[in-house]
Amino acid sequence: MIRVVLADDQTLVRAGFRSILSDEEDLEVVGEAADGEQAIALARELHPDVVLMDIRMPVLDGLEATRRITADERLEGVRVVILTTFDADDHVYGALRAGASGFLVKDTEPMELLHAVRVVARGDALIAPAVTRRLIAEFAGRAERRPDPSPRLNALTEREVLGLVGAGLSNDEIAGRLVLSPATAKTHVSRIMTKLAVRDRAQLVILAYESGMITPGWLA
């Protein structure tokens, strides 16, 4: 059972999401929060698999609440999906930098919402490769460029795989490009996440750009 917390200051929005999620046998809404502080408190109390987090909320906004949840070692297994009516690309980048595992606009189709929760709950990033390439490539340039300061990254043997993840390729696409099996590609990606102590693929994308390993248009 995938346990979900809803965080949104609008009661009707929470009710709509609850209705969609509760119809599924493998999903359970275990709590609702009306602001970021409540979302953090519920995450600590209930340890859900996924928090669906609105960006704009009173008391504490969703991005800061996400940062605090993902920085809390006690909540290592809690994944956050950002929900917003604002689909501006810089919100996507801000959400990923805050530690979110994905991003959805509130008018997304119910099936996309359900898919997102399941994908993120199993530890993958929500954002599809095509979206990753379009959004992250454009807005990663806003991050401060610097030489890679991490010995772990310099010593990483799977640097090519990391670069392809950063470019937005799926495991299947990486496998095809490097002539590997999809299972082997997935193993490499999982090993990279372990070595670099990141939560998911979304964080690998950010790391690949901000380290200067790849730049927008690198794979073109």
Side-chain angles (χ1 to χ4, degrees):
M1 182 70 71
I2 298 173
R3 304 169 70 250
V4 182
V5 163
L6 304 176
D8 193 293
D9 61 333
Q10 298 183 49
T11 303
L12 287 178
V13 171
R14 296 199 308 272
F17 285 133
R18 175 183 281 275
S19 177
I20 293 170
L21 296 170
S22 297
D23 284 341
E24 302 299 307
E25 293 183 355
D26 62 329
L27 303 177
E28 178 185 10
V29 177
V30 295
E32 297 185 22
D35 60 58
E37 290 282 10
Q38 291 180 11
I40 295 170
L42 284 178
R44 289 172 176 164
E45 175 187 352
L46 301 173
H47 287 265
D49 300 294
V50 178
V51 178
L52 294 179
M53 182 87 73
D54 186 27
I55 284 184
R56 301 201 176 189
M57 293 187 291
V59 184
L60 189 71
D61 68 58
L63 293 183
E64 181 57 32
T66 297
R67 274 189 281 270
R68 296 187 190 183
I69 288 173
T70 58
D72 191 332
E73 294 182 355
R74 297 168 296 178
L75 302 178
E76 183 178 356
V78 179
R79 308 293 179 184
V80 178
V81 175
I82 293 289
L83 292 164
T84 183
T85 54
F86 303 90
D87 58 354
D89 293 347
D90 54 341
H91 281 303
V92 179
Y93 189 57
L96 295 178
R97 288 202 55 162
S101 295
F103 178 94
L104 282 177
V105 291
K106 289 182 180 178
D107 61 357
T108 190
E109 294 294 326
M111 291 304 296
E112 293 179 6
L113 173 66
L114 297 173
H115 175 69
V117 171
R118 291 174 176 128
V119 166
V120 169
R122 68 173 183 246
D124 293 330
L126 164 69
I127 300 180
V131 178
T132 303
R133 286 192 288 269
R134 178 172 61 85
L135 298 181
I136 301 302
E138 180 174 355
F139 283 90
R142 297 186 178 190
E144 180 181 357
R145 294 297 181 195
R146 64 184 186 278
D148 172 24
S150 171
R152 291 181 305 162
L153 196 53
N154 284 329
L156 190 68
T157 57
E158 302 95 341
R159 287 174 63 90
E160 185 175 12
V161 175
L162 175 57
L164 294 175
V165 171
L169 272 65
S170 66
N171 287 343
D172 287 347
E173 290 172 323
I174 292 172
R177 198 171 188 92
L178 300 181
V179 195
L180 304 170
S181 71
T184 299
K186 182 177 181 180
T187 297
H188 282 311
V189 173
S190 298
R191 187 178 300 136
I192 292 170
M193 287 193 290
T194 299
K195 288 181 178 179
L196 299 181
V198 299
R199 294 169 63 94
D200 51 37
R201 294 175 74 98
Q203 297 302 297
L204 284 182
V205 172
I206 296 295
L207 178 62
Y209 274 99
E210 293 192 339
S211 68
M213 172 176 285
I214 61 175
T215 58
W218 170 78
L219 197 60

